[in-house]
Amino acid sequence: MALPKAASLTDALTLGASSMVSPDEFAEVRQAFEHELRRTTRSLPTGERIRVDGYSLRNAMSGGAGHGGAFRWTPWTARRPIGIECVRASLANPRLTPLQASHDVITRLVRQADEQRGRPGSLSEWLAGLAVGGRTVVQAEAVVWATQLTTALDWTRLSRPIVGDDRSVVLPSSSQVLLRGRIELRTFATPARVQGTNPRRRLESEPSVLFATMTGRPSPTARTELGLAALTVALGDRHGEVPVRVLGWWPQCGRALVVPVDLTLLNQTCEAVVGTVRSMCPTIPQKSRPSRATGERTGRHTGKTSLPQAVGEVDRIAS
Amino acid sequence: MANQSLTEAPERPSTGPVAPVGADLLASLRGDSSRRPLVDPGLAGGLRDWLEDGLCSLPLGVQTPILVNKQTLRDALAGRTNQPRVERSITDSVALGALMDALFRQFVTIGHIEDPMRNGLDALRVDPRRSEVIDFVRGLEPQERADFEDELETQSAILVSRWPRLSPSWLPRTQERITVPLAGGDVVLVGNIDLIVGAPSAGHASVGLIEVKSGRARIEDRDDLRFYALLETLRSGAAPFRVATFYTRTGLIETEDVDDGLLTSSVQRVLMGINRMVAPA
């Protein structure tokens, strides 16, 4: 069950390579990034948190304000979390199709709400409140999403795939910024030939690679959005291991973008994140020399959340 | 030449059980599986090159991106491009079409329809873009609404009587959106296909596209499907083996095999349509 493009996409994703950024090099990137973030968020009122994800990054970089409304569940925001569960279920049981899996996932979520285990505003609560007609739209959207991901790759060739490996990162030095990386799949590049049978050595020779499903068609900011996924994985790794590449996949148009993760990408992504954060912070007179990303664009405060809501959902990173 | 065939159901669903339900419909969707063409790995690239070459010589102007969907293409080819843009108002047939699309999606996804009007409106309610349809139905006079509901129930009954429950192994996915950017994104071909079936394959063509129509059969319906066959080929790299239109008004299904001739004629039609869209008034 694979698209004609699946073989070449899988090749492009898993092609053997060694990491282009060493942990030491990344430590320097990280240090500079944290310093810049700390400086940028000084004007942010205590208790407010800025969330930077692919969406806010795109809006800030393209000068758009986005719709800026509060998040709400719709069939289009719900299809991904349900779709990810479907793909996981299909991988665990290859006889299970996305349509069957979606039924199971939605039934489980609704039962969760019925047993009053769903948080107010949660996906399960929202689903339980929908009539059959509305719930079916959600299921149908999830089926499309899951089928697109399932058929995009040759899963038999993936090494230890992790589906839905999203990352939320709060840096201790800039705890008012939450970085969110959306990652549909994390797997490992084909290992280079390694002498000996030491399993630790073998694992070290398998740098991780990321696969992200995107919406619509590639935009000029796509490379940086994919860079954010790589950045969050690297920031969240205890050893500062950096993924070797990110592959963005636009199923609606059948396009893919393979982005090698090198120092240039990481630096550009860090600058874009700082620029996005700056566009969301209250303006204060800048005395020091602005960074390259400084003040390029302004946007609305679309990514702010208050601290208490976000705490508990994020991985705090040891510095 | 593409193979075309028609399969017609009784005008209205019979009261007794039909066994097996929809067997003829399935057969017409499947076609003769032994005759499905091999996927030509170079075809999609060739079609894309043809389109790109054709667009190179067109004055695309500054009003980009130009969104090309089945309706804008039809309008352009019918010479309606340069007329003042009139917002598409909701009519009985538009509302009926929206509700039948939602009910078809529901039937394919969960296999049953409880109350056509309620289920259909509930489905539209979760999509803010469909609020006009809901308002339209709400605003109908009692007799108009009764007639409307009667037609919806009739078409829904035809749908249920004609369509079998599709095997999940066919990977049915509904209202899948396809967007194909061309000319560096200045032109975007867009389609929203009611139903796509078939596990994608690199061997023989294995995907079928189905559109659902609640109105009368029109000659343009076939052009719409050929356009969608082109979009799917450009997107996935493999042409679908067959396209079909199902008419919920009659239960009739019209199918057409996809071959190179169909796809190249669609490329020419798209280029001609875009040419008329960008031509000075």
Side-chain angles (χ1 to χ4, degrees):
Chain A
M1 187 168 73
L3 279 169
K5 284 181 179 171
S8 49
L9 267 185
T10 309
D11 287 342
L13 180 67
T14 61
L15 191 70
S18 53
S19 185
M20 283 173 281
V21 183
S22 71
D24 287 345
E25 287 172 321
F26 182 68
E28 283 181 28
V29 171
R30 177 184 179 131
Q31 193 180 15
F33 179 52
E34 290 198 43
H35 172 75
E36 199 65 29
L37 268 187
R38 202 165 38 236
R39 212 164 57 112
T40 307
T41 52
R42 275 195 305 232
S43 66
L44 197 62
T46 310
E48 276 198 15
R49 173 171 283 168
I50 287 174
R51 174 190 162 112
V52 179
D53 55 16
Y55 176 74
S56 54
L57 207 58
R58 182 164 63 244
N59 276 331
M61 290 179 74
S62 60
H67 44 69
F71 174 84
R72 66 189 186 95
W73 290 110
T74 67
W76 299 277
T77 54
R79 67 183 172 182
R80 184 176 182 271
I82 297 171
I84 280 180
E85 290 295 323
C86 294
V87 176
R88 284 177 181 153
S90 299
L91 285 182
N93 176 6
R95 295 178 67 87
L96 205 59
T97 65
L99 183 61
Q100 295 162 315
S102 66
H103 174 263
D104 297 348
V105 171
I106 288 179
T107 303
R108 193 179 70 235
L109 285 168
V110 171
R111 195 185 314 127
Q112 212 173 66
D114 290 345
E115 292 167 0
Q116 297 182 331
R117 287 189 287 126
R119 285 180 293 112
S122 67
L123 175 58
S124 55
E125 285 286 330
W126 177 72
L127 276 174
L130 290 179
V132 172
R135 204 180 290 167
T136 303
V137 177
V138 181
Q139 185 177 348
E141 286 293 328
V143 169
V144 171
W145 194 95
T147 306
Q148 287 172 341
L149 179 55
T150 308
T151 55
L153 294 162
D154 181 353
W155 292 80
T156 60
R157 290 172 47 205
L158 300 181
S159 170
R160 294 173 284 139
I162 301 165
V163 177
D165 196 26
D166 292 356
R167 300 301 173 101
S168 295
V169 176
V170 174
L171 298 164
S173 57
S174 319
S175 60
Q176 287 176 279
V177 178
L178 168 71
L179 301 180
R180 178 86 177 151
R182 275 174 52 145
I183 298 151
E184 271 64 37
L185 166 72
R186 187 161 67 96
T187 182
F188 296 88
T190 309
R193 284 190 181 282
V194 178
Q195 299 296 320
T197 54
N198 183 337
R200 180 174 164 76
R201 180 91 187 275
R202 188 171 58 80
L203 282 175
E204 282 173 354
S205 69
E206 290 182 295
S208 65
V209 289
L210 312 176
F211 184 89
T213 302
M214 314 289 275
T215 307
R217 54 187 191 275
S219 71
T221 61
R223 195 169 178 276
T224 312
E225 290 175 52
L226 297 172
L228 180 63
L231 180 65
T232 54
V233 170
L235 288 170
D237 189 277
R238 275 183 303 165
H239 308 293
E241 292 287 349
V242 179
V244 72
R245 74 176 64 90
V246 191
L247 195 155
W249 167 239
W250 284 261
Q252 283 181 16
C253 64
R255 293 273 178 96
L257 178 64
V258 183
V259 180
V261 182
D262 53 17
L263 278 174
T264 308
L265 177 76
L266 291 172
N267 282 321
Q268 284 173 348
T269 306
C270 289
E271 285 179 12
V273 169
V274 170
T276 302
V277 170
R278 183 168 289 121
S279 73
M280 294 174 174
C281 285
T283 311
I284 54 168
Q286 296 281 319
K287 289 182 179 172
S288 54
R289 187 181 63 83
S291 74
R292 272 177 287 173
T294 299
E296 284 175 347
R297 291 165 184 95
T298 54
R300 291 170 59 183
H301 295 212
T302 52
K304 282 186 190 172
T305 56
S306 60
L307 276 170
Q309 289 175 337
V311 167
E313 295 180 1
V314 298
D315 302 319
R316 287 196 173 272
I317 308 304
S319 56
Chain B
M1 280 293 288
N3 175 32
Q4 294 163 7
S5 66
L6 292 172
T7 308
E8 191 156 11
E11 190 64 23
R12 286 293 185 256
S14 58
T15 50
V18 179
V21 172
D24 61 325
L25 188 139
L26 279 187
S28 60
L29 288 180
R30 276 198 198 101
D32 181 353
S33 54
S34 66
R35 291 179 55 196
R36 290 182 192 169
L38 284 168
V39 171
D40 175 355
L43 178 63
L47 295 171
R48 184 181 289 275
D49 287 349
W50 189 351
L51 283 164
E52 294 283 8
D53 289 349
L55 292 173
C56 267
S57 57
L58 295 182
L60 294 178
V62 291
Q63 286 190 321
T64 56
I66 298 168
L67 294 179
V68 181
N69 60 34
K70 63 180 181 183
Q71 188 62 48
T72 57
L73 205 48
R74 256 193 249 149
D75 287 347
L77 292 167
R80 295 190 289 264
T81 313
N82 295 319
Q83 292 171 1
R85 194 182 179 88
V86 179
E87 285 303 315
R88 197 179 175 203
S89 57
I90 306 294
T91 60
D92 272 22
S93 57
V94 170
L96 184 66
L99 284 162
M100 282 311 301
D101 280 349
L103 291 175
F104 179 72
R105 191 177 209 195
Q106 173 168 328
F107 188 71
V108 169
T109 305
I110 63 172
H112 60 89
I113 297 168
E114 294 162 354
D115 176 337
M117 183 65 107
R118 188 160 47 83
N119 290 166
L121 289 176
D122 284 341
L124 299 185
R125 213 164 268 135
V126 295
D127 184 353
R129 294 166 302 180
R130 296 306 192 121
S131 60
E132 284 181 345
V133 177
I134 296 169
D135 293 343
F136 173 85
V137 175
R138 277 199 194 124
L140 290 172
E141 295 295 326
Q143 186 56 48
E144 289 173 332
R145 182 171 168 124
D147 292 344
F148 183 85
E149 193 160 355
D150 187 43
E151 183 60 24
L152 185 70
E153 285 179 0
T154 303
Q155 293 205 9
S156 175
I158 292 173
L159 166 66
V160 172
S161 71
R162 291 284 287 141
W163 275 82
R165 187 80 203 268
L166 295 177
S167 165
S169 66
W170 283 32
L171 298 181
R173 51 259 190 218
T174 49
Q175 290 181 21
E176 186 164 356
R177 189 173 171 82
I178 300 180
T179 54
V180 178
L182 297 166
D186 284 349
V187 174
V188 185
L189 311 183
V190 181
N192 208 19
I193 300 169
D194 287 334
L195 174 64
I196 303 182
V197 292
S201 162
H204 284 87
S206 56
V207 166
L209 313 181
I210 297 106
E211 272 288 281
V212 175
K213 304 277 186 189
S214 59
R216 293 177 189 278
R218 296 172 304 177
I219 195 73
E220 305 97 285
D221 296 343
R222 196 174 294 162
D223 291 330
D224 291 348
L225 275 171
R226 291 173 177 178
F227 175 59
Y228 284 169
L230 175 63
L231 293 189
E232 172 62 14
T233 308
L234 293 171
R235 173 182 69 158
S236 73
F241 69 91
R242 182 163 271 212
V243 290
T245 307
F246 177 74
Y247 295 94
T248 52
R249 191 168 177 273
T250 58
L252 176 148
I253 188 161
E254 183 176 340
T255 62
E256 186 172 16
D257 287 340
V258 176
D259 57 17
D260 292 4
L262 179 147
L263 294 168
T264 53
S265 72
S266 186
V267 167
Q268 288 170 321
R269 183 171 173 269
V270 167
L271 286 174
M272 192 184 298
I274 298 172
N275 194 4
R276 294 202 182 166
M277 284 178 202
V278 300

